[in-house]
Amino acid sequence: MSNAALSRRQFIHAGLVAGGGLVLAVTLPRGASKASPAAHADSQLNAWLKIGPDDTITFIVDRSEMGQGVYTALPMLLAEELHVSLDAITLVPAPVGDAYVSPGNGGQVTGTSNSVQESFDKLRLAGAQARLMLTQAAAQHWKLDETQCRADEGCVWNSKGEKLTYGTLANAAAKFPVPKNPKLKDKSAFKIVGKPRLRLDTPGKVDGSAQFGIDVLLPGMLYAAYAQSPVLGGTLKSLDSSAAEAMPGVRKVIKIDAGVIVVADHYWQALKGRDALKVEWEPGANHALDNDAIAAMLAKTAAKGEGLSARNDGDANKALQSAKQSLKATYDLPLLAHATMEPMNCTADVRKDRCDLYVGTQVPQVSQVTAAQAANLKPEQVNVITTLLGGGFGRRLDVDFIPAAVIASKALGVPVKLIWTREDDITHDTFRPPALEAMEGGLDGSGKLTAVKLHVTSPSITARMFPPVKGVDDSVVEYAINFPYEVANYSLSYSRQEIGIDVGYMRSVSHAPNCFAIESFMDELAHAAGKNPYEFRRALLKAERSKKVLEVLADKSGWGKAPPGRYQGMSFMLGYTTHIAQVAEISIDQGELKVHRIVCVVDCGYMVHPKIVESQIEGGTIFGLTAALWGEINLKGGKARETNFHNYRLLRMNEVPAIEVHLLDSDEAPGGIGEAAVALPAPALCNAIFSATGKRIRKLPIGVLKLA
């Protein structure tokens, strides 16, 4: 089932029924502060905080944990203003409903690296409101003025040294109106936020108690494997399932339009049953699709003209005509698979009037609607239990793996866990779209940059997932729209060219392809102008924070002072409101590339948990480096030729360079960090290769053979 008919705001209303204690629902529509002490099904709530009479403190989290640390960073914000220890808070994934949507997030969606930056003020406010209500309840009990009471470590104390626990006060506190503008702590007084803390999700991942989607185990559960057309977009033509149905453990073979579901007692039996199917597929329109055909489509559309205008400062065409020196370059980005470590999976338990869905998803509300359609239920009859995600990277914004599990469970009347194999996952991904990015630039007689043009040709992800798209698809040019350099004449345009297969959002979305083109071209312009690439960029950067990042990078990387036989390349990005730059240090021996060192400097504003920031930068760098070196899906006859990690390579441990992360202190609002570092390795690496060889790499992946 495709969620093409869904919009970002087509979600299901729900409320929380809680018995006893203080249940705080904080309403914060775009900076205003209104409040209601009671749950309301139609209200837009940024957080649910429940304090029980037994002193339990429950935080209902509206984001999915997929390794980025939200199950630690978000409760830190709440604990800071509530004046409790981090360990005192129990986390519960939010059920589906508008009641658990933070205003401005567009739904229950985990993506765009906005979890901390979007929640920073709201969760602190929620904690402060609850603390003040508890203090008011204690003051009333003691018949004291509020100023004679203080909250600390889960209790309210009075001037006599007496105390009442939050749980003791919870029912009384719930009767007070929620204060609109409680005073928040100054950052200098923080005891939890910004300090080193152990991640709350680590122990469970170490001892095995953490539950990912693939770990779900229900009484009487069966397992399912799913056969899909090897040609993307193909459909089922004929099926002989007799051999599979006769195999031990196989319970049922279910034929649907898009494929065949084999259900068995154990997963291995389901897989062997799938192998025994005699299936004939109707390949459809993609039977001759390959990478050359896709490249030809993009090139043909790009040659037609500049398409839709996304940004137009000054008059770039006129400035280019009068430029003393002009350059052109086209950058080619391939299809990529997300390749999450946990393949797609879903467990469904469908009953006559309800469905429990256990799934690692970045979009619980879309998952709910998808399951409801597959089960022929109303959305409110579907209960989504969001598990931990073994990698999301945007892949789990899609829900194509959910319907088959629901259909199987409904057909057999028992819980069914459907698991995609690694081969299913890579060959039937919603791939990152290919892109052709053509750049032009002009320099005056002194080498000053006077004009830049960028024309992007690519399919649209949003047109499939959240139609309709009117005008420019921001997800294709989002980074390029926010071009960080001061140039009087800047033109950005976009031409949409579909390629016949589904494409999906991937970690950093447009930032990686746009940044590769822009930062590679900035290096080309610098060399054409006869200037140091660092000085060339620094002179053009608009923001002082950006300049500071670049200056620290030059110092920490030893820019221009690489050891003998090593070469450096630089890249910069201002994305997700984070200022970030990298230097890659490499060597090349007989055509073999070795990446020795990557130095990264980051100003992401105020950091809730600096160690998580550092981890995300390291992980994003490795993710981006893998894609730059090896990432490519090749189609032949509409089939993905890469099937597993033997031919869809990930960076191996012995290939990971030394990664140095330098975090700059800042009191600015938090920026996004989960995706920021992904975009930088490719241009930094290619710029270093030019420094070493004089050869420009404009088509990814790099690969070893291209350097021979």
Side-chain angles (χ1 to χ4, degrees):
M1 175 267 180
S2 169
N3 59 323
L6 298 174
S7 71
R8 287 183 184 271
R9 300 187 181 278
Q10 186 182 355
F11 296 121
I12 310 307
H13 292 282
L16 174 68
V17 178
L22 170 59
V23 179
L24 184 66
V26 185
T27 305
L28 293 168
R30 301 203 181 270
S33 178
K34 299 179 181 178
S36 168
H40 191 286
D42 295 329
S43 57
Q44 293 289 307
L45 308 173
N46 92 299
W48 280 96
L49 167 64
K50 179 180 177 181
I51 301 176
D54 59 353
D55 288 327
T56 57
I57 302 172
T58 304
F59 172 35
I60 301 179
V61 188
D62 68 331
R63 311 292 173 129
S64 301
E65 175 59 76
M66 47 190 172
Q68 81 279 36
V70 292
Y71 275 15
T72 300
L74 297 187
M76 287 174 70
L77 295 167
L78 196 63
E80 185 67 70
E81 293 289 352
L82 191 56
H83 291 190
V84 297
S85 69
L86 188 58
D87 294 336
I89 296 179
T90 299
L91 273 67
V92 176
V96 171
D98 281 357
Y100 311 104
V101 175
S102 182
N105 196 40
Q108 278 179 294
V109 181
T110 304
T112 71
S113 295
N114 75 345
S115 294
V116 169
Q117 62 181 152
E118 206 274 333
S119 303
F120 186 73
D121 290 328
K122 296 174 183 178
L123 291 182
R124 290 169 59 213
L125 181 60
Q129 288 172 326
R131 171 171 46 84
L132 186 53
M133 293 164 71
L134 292 161
T135 303
Q136 290 170 336
Q140 184 182 73
H141 174 81
W142 286 319
K143 296 181 174 55
L144 296 172
D145 189 88
E146 290 175 34
T147 58
Q148 294 178 280
C149 305
R150 63 179 178 86
D152 191 35
E153 292 299 323
C155 298
V156 179
W157 304 73
N158 64 23
S159 54
K160 299 177 183 178
E162 298 170 328
K163 69 177 180 179
L164 293 169
T165 68
Y166 283 178
T168 303
L169 296 166
N171 285 330
K175 299 174 183 178
F176 284 84
V178 178
K180 293 183 178 181
N181 298 300
K183 181 176 174 57
L184 299 181
K185 279 186 180 181
D186 187 87
K187 293 172 185 175
S188 63
F190 283 171
K191 296 180 179 179
I192 297 174
V193 172
K195 313 299 182 187
R197 295 280 168 175
L198 295 176
R199 283 182 57 150
L200 299 182
D201 55 337
T202 298
K205 292 175 179 177
V206 172
D207 65 23
S209 61
Q211 188 175 74
F212 294 82
I214 209 164
D215 297 323
V216 171
L217 184 64
L218 301 177
M221 185 177 77
L222 300 178
Y223 294 82
Y226 185 39
Q228 305 176 69
S229 168
V231 177
L232 296 170
T235 55
L236 184 64
K237 185 176 182 180
S238 67
L239 170 67
D240 178 355
S241 60
S242 56
E245 290 170 327
M247 294 182 69
V250 173
R251 296 292 192 94
K252 196 174 187 66
V253 176
I254 305 168
K255 182 171 68 173
I256 61 177
D257 289 342
V260 184
I261 309 164
V262 179
V263 185
D265 292 336
H266 304 291
Y267 186 56
W268 182 250
Q269 294 170 328
L271 283 177
K272 299 304 288 184
R274 186 180 73 169
D275 292 343
L277 295 172
K278 295 179 180 178
V279 186
E280 187 177 359
W281 301 98
E282 182 62 57
N286 292 326
H287 68 279
L289 186 67
D290 60 21
N291 288 45
D292 289 341
I294 291 172
M297 289 184 222
L298 297 179
K300 183 178 179 180
T301 298
K304 291 179 180 178
E306 296 177 358
L308 300 172
S309 176
R311 179 174 163 182
N312 193 15
D313 301 348
D315 190 334
N317 286 327
K318 184 178 180 180
L320 285 168
Q321 290 173 1
S322 60
K324 184 73 173 178
Q325 186 178 7
S326 61
L327 282 81
K328 292 184 179 182
T330 298
Y331 301 90
D332 194 339
L333 288 302
L335 288 164
L336 291 179
H338 296 78
T340 61
M341 290 307 295
E342 179 191 17
M344 300 303 104
N345 64 87
C346 177
T347 301
D349 185 4
V350 181
R351 310 293 174 87
K352 181 179 179 180
D353 58 354
R354 65 171 290 149
C355 169
D356 290 334
L357 194 73
Y358 300 81
V359 61
T361 178
Q362 294 175 246
V363 281
Q365 289 168 307
V366 178
S367 299
Q368 182 192 53
V369 173
T370 302
Q373 292 182 354
N376 196 26
L377 295 170
K378 296 177 182 179
E380 56 266 30
Q381 292 176 293
V382 177
N383 176 35
V384 178
I385 300 95
T386 303
T387 66
L388 295 173
L389 283 62
F393 311 137
R395 177 61 178 96
R396 286 181 163 91
L397 291 169
D398 266 297
V399 292
D400 51 334
F401 53 95
I402 290 176
V406 175
I407 291 168
S409 177
K410 183 177 181 180
L412 281 93
V414 297
V416 174
K417 180 193 289 185
L418 179 112
I419 305 173
W420 286 25
T421 65
R422 175 67 59 198
E423 288 78 8
D424 295 335
D425 203 44
I426 290 180
T427 59
H428 290 81
D429 198 353
T430 49
F431 303 111
R432 190 191 79 175
L436 201 61
E437 307 214 357
M439 298 206 67
E440 295 182 57
L443 302 164
D444 66 14
S446 65
K448 180 182 178 182
L449 185 60
T450 58
V452 172
K453 289 180 66 175
L454 171 55
H455 180 213
V456 179
T457 306
S458 182
S460 170
I461 307 164
T462 308
R464 173 179 67 89
M465 294 194 68
F466 302 108
V469 172
K470 297 180 180 179
V472 177
D473 181 355
D474 287 348
S475 72
V476 182
V477 295
E478 182 183 6
Y479 175 60
I481 285 177
N482 299 308
F483 187 72
Y485 298 104
E486 191 74 59
V487 181
N489 304 285
Y490 176 63
S491 170
L492 171 64
S493 56
Y494 166 59
S495 293
R496 177 179 164 190
Q497 175 58 60
E498 296 304 323
I499 59 173
I501 62 173
D502 288 343
V503 292
Y505 299 112
M506 186 171 180
R507 188 179 186 183
S508 85
V509 195
S510 74
H511 290 69
N514 293 170
C515 184
F516 175 63
I518 290 170
E519 286 302 297
S520 295
F521 195 59
M522 289 298 290
D523 211 69
E524 297 200 38
L525 288 166
H527 284 279
K531 296 186 178 181
N532 184 300
Y534 158 67
E535 297 291 353
F536 186 75
R537 285 178 174 83
R538 185 185 176 283
L540 291 167
L541 285 172
K542 301 175 185 179
E544 289 301 318
R545 290 172 67 189
S546 297
K547 292 180 180 179
K548 179 67 173 177
V549 164
L550 212 61
E551 290 166 355
V552 175
L553 179 69
D555 175 53
K556 297 296 184 182
S557 67
W559 177 256
K561 303 172 185 176
R566 294 193 185 183
Y567 303 88
Q568 295 174 320
M570 176 178 288
S571 60
F572 170 84
M573 190 181 80
L574 172 50
Y576 307 100
T577 70
T578 287
H579 306 247
I580 181 169
Q582 286 189 352
V583 163
E585 188 171 290
I586 68 163
S587 65
I588 298 176
D589 183 11
Q590 297 181 346
E592 184 175 345
L593 170 68
K594 182 173 179 60
V595 186
H596 295 274
R597 179 181 179 226
I598 290 183
V599 182
C600 188
V601 177
V602 186
D603 178 353
C604 61
Y606 194 87
M607 293 175 284
V608 174
H609 195 305
K611 288 299 293 182
I612 288 179
V613 172
E614 184 177 348
S615 296
Q616 286 296 291
I617 293 298
E618 291 171 345
T621 296
I622 293 172
F623 193 93
L625 189 56
T626 290
L629 289 169
W630 311 115
E632 183 176 30
I633 289 292
N634 289 281
L635 301 181
K636 185 175 182 179
K639 304 175 185 178
R641 297 175 65 184
E642 288 74 22
T643 58
N644 207 315
F645 292 140
H646 71 289
N647 56 6
Y648 191 77
R649 278 198 57 181
L650 301 186
L651 206 64
R652 291 160 169 78
M653 288 295 290
N654 65 312
E655 296 169 329
V656 176
I659 300 175
E660 300 175 21
V661 180
H662 302 275
L663 306 175
L664 303 188
D665 290 332
S666 174
D667 284 330
E668 299 288 340
I673 205 63
E675 300 170 88
V678 173
L680 294 164
L685 197 55
C686 290
N687 292 338
I689 290 169
F690 172 78
S691 179
T693 67
K695 180 179 180 179
R696 287 290 178 189
I697 303 287
R698 301 192 182 100
K699 179 178 172 62
L700 294 178
I702 296 165
V704 173
L705 297 179
K706 293 181 181 180
L707 301 177

